[in-house]
């Protein structure tokens, strides 16, 4: 009986040793799985990146026929998977851009100028932003233009938008069609005169014509939200951003001021000649 007890004790001891030795292996397998599949993030159904990577998104503009006077743009990102890197916003072709980096999930920005206007007949960088990958899964980086206009102060009808996505020197996406944000809140509160199309091209130069040229949102401008200040108010964007209504009014006042100044100068010169 004593011999059977000893044998059973020895068998239990061996089983415990086997379980202990197998546990680290199982843990390693789980850890390995997390580091490969679960920690990977797919962005815009195109680029696979890993947790800790710094991803750079660059939006380009081309095929315009007039210089850019002003724009109102928002970049959207999934804050559950991506962390915006402050001070990474870059504008190579605009002198002064007003933007807000403190709103989680989106970066609103605008610009209006009557001097040193950028040309985008050929492909040029519009904006660049960087994000840190904090979680695996699926995510997206999208854009939505409320306004984008040239010298005639009407929205652009001929343009082409493309984007790159990269990690360091590695290009995950190059000259891709940038996804437009189609969130209901965005369409309800940020729709302006500019029309965003799925193919990233204007109505005058896109190969898709008429009904086949799929737009995002409506061409009807909703000014009620802007006037009540519930969407793009100074308070909502912490003072760093103006709604498109104020944006257009400022540009209009600058034009009127320039015309009045010109009239006064000409009138003064005429009186001196007399």
């Amino acid at each position: 009986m004593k011999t059977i007890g000893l044998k059973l004790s020895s068998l239990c001891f061996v089983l415990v040793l086997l379980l202990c030795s197998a546990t680290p292996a199982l843990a390693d397998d789980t850890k390995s799985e997390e580091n490969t599949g679960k920690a990977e993030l797919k962005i815009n159904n195109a680029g696979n990146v890993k947790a800790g990577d710094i991803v750079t998104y660059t939006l380009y503009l081309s095929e315009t026929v007039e210089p850019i006077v002003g724009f109102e743009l928002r970049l959207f990102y999934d804050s559950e998977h991506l962390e915006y890197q402050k001070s990474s916003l870059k504008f190579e072709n605009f002198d002064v851009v007003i933007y807000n980096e403190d709103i989680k999930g989106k970066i609103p920005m605008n610009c209006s100028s009557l001097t040193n206007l950028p040309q985008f007949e050929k492909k040029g960088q519009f904006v660049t932003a960087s994000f840190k990958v904090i979680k695996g899964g699926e995510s997206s980086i999208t854009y939505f233009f409320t306004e984008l206009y040239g010298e005639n102060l009407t929205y652009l009808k001929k343009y082409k938008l493309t984007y790159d996505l990269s990690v360091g020197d590695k290009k995950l996406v190059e000259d891709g069609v940038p996804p437009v944000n189609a969130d209901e809140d965005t369409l309800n509160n940020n729709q302006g005169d500019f029309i965003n199309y799925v193919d990233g091209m204007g109505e005058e130069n896109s190969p898709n014509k008429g009904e086949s040229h799929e737009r995002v949102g409506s061409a009807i401008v909703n000014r009620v939200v802007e006037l009540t200040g519930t969407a793009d108010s100074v308070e909502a964007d912490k003072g760093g951003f103006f709604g498109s209504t104020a944006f257009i009014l400022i540009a209009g006042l600058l034009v009127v001021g320039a015309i009045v100044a010109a009239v006064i100068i000409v009138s003064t010169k005429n009186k001196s000649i007399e």
Side-chain angles (χ1 to χ4, degrees):
M1 188 73 177
K2 187 176 181 180
T3 304
I4 294 173
L6 287 172
K7 287 183 178 179
L8 288 173
S9 298
S10 300
L11 180 61
C12 290
F13 182 73
V14 170
L15 288 173
V16 170
L17 286 178
L18 289 173
L19 286 173
C20 289
S21 62
T23 302
L26 290 172
D28 288 341
D29 287 343
T30 303
K31 187 176 180 181
S32 175
E33 183 182 356
E34 289 178 352
N35 288 336
T36 54
K38 292 185 179 179
E40 282 191 349
L41 177 67
K42 178 171 281 189
I43 302 176
N44 294 347
N45 292 319
N48 287 327
V49 292
K50 294 182 179 180
D53 284 347
I54 302 297
V55 180
T56 299
Y57 173 97
T58 302
L59 185 68
Y60 297 95
L61 178 64
S62 62
E63 298 187 18
T64 63
V65 294
E66 55 183 312
I68 303 302
V69 170
F71 69 85
E72 180 177 326
L73 167 68
R74 288 169 181 79
L75 287 184
F76 296 86
Y77 63 95
D78 182 358
S79 58
E80 183 182 349
H81 297 87
L82 297 169
E83 181 182 78
Y84 169 67
Q85 302 298 285
K86 282 195 173 182
S87 303
S88 68
L89 215 59
K90 298 289 186 296
F91 304 91
E92 296 177 1
N93 292 290
F94 297 96
D95 292 335
V96 179
V97 178
I98 300 171
Y99 55 86
N100 191 343
E101 298 179 300
D102 297 321
I103 303 176
K104 201 171 184 179
K106 69 177 178 180
I107 311 169
M109 62 197 81
N110 72 13
C111 173
S112 180
S113 178
L114 294 175
T115 60
N116 195 25
L117 303 179
Q119 299 276 357
F120 289 94
E121 294 177 5
K122 295 181 179 180
K123 177 183 172 183
Q125 185 259 22
F126 199 95
V127 61
T128 296
S130 295
F131 306 86
K132 183 178 180 179
V133 179
I134 57 177
K135 185 179 178 181
E138 293 187 2
S139 184
S140 62
I141 302 174
T142 60
Y143 77 93
F144 192 89
F145 275 101
T146 297
E147 306 290 349
L148 179 58
Y149 54 89
E151 287 180 313
N152 61 6
L153 298 183
T154 62
Y155 72 91
L156 290 189
K157 299 176 180 63
K158 186 175 182 180
Y159 64 89
K160 182 178 181 180
L161 292 164
T162 56
Y163 86 110
D164 288 355
L165 200 63
S166 60
V167 175
D169 296 330
K170 182 182 178 182
K171 288 284 182 70
L172 305 175
V173 177
E174 187 170 9
D175 287 333
V177 177
V180 185
N181 189 282
D183 181 76
E184 186 176 350
D185 181 68
T186 299
L187 301 181
N188 288 339
N189 298 330
N190 303 132
Q191 180 68 59
D193 293 319
F194 183 81
I195 302 175
N196 295 273
Y197 289 102
V198 172
D199 64 359
M201 300 183 72
E203 57 196 64
E204 292 185 354
N205 65 313
S206 173
N208 301 307
K209 301 294 182 182
E211 294 182 0
S212 62
H213 197 192
E214 185 179 353
R215 65 174 57 181
V216 179
S218 170
I220 300 174
V221 182
N222 184 355
R223 298 298 185 191
V224 177
V225 175
E226 293 176 353
L227 292 174
T228 57
T230 57
D232 298 328
S233 66
V234 173
E235 182 180 356
D237 287 345
K238 300 183 180 179
F241 194 60
F242 298 95
S244 60
T245 302
F247 187 29
I248 294 172
L249 285 175
I250 291 171
L253 287 173
L254 289 172
V255 173
V256 171
I259 294 172
V260 171
V263 170
I264 292 172
I265 293 171
V266 171
S267 177
T268 304
K269 286 185 176 181
N270 286 340
K271 287 182 180 179
S272 64
I273 292 173
E274 291 175 356

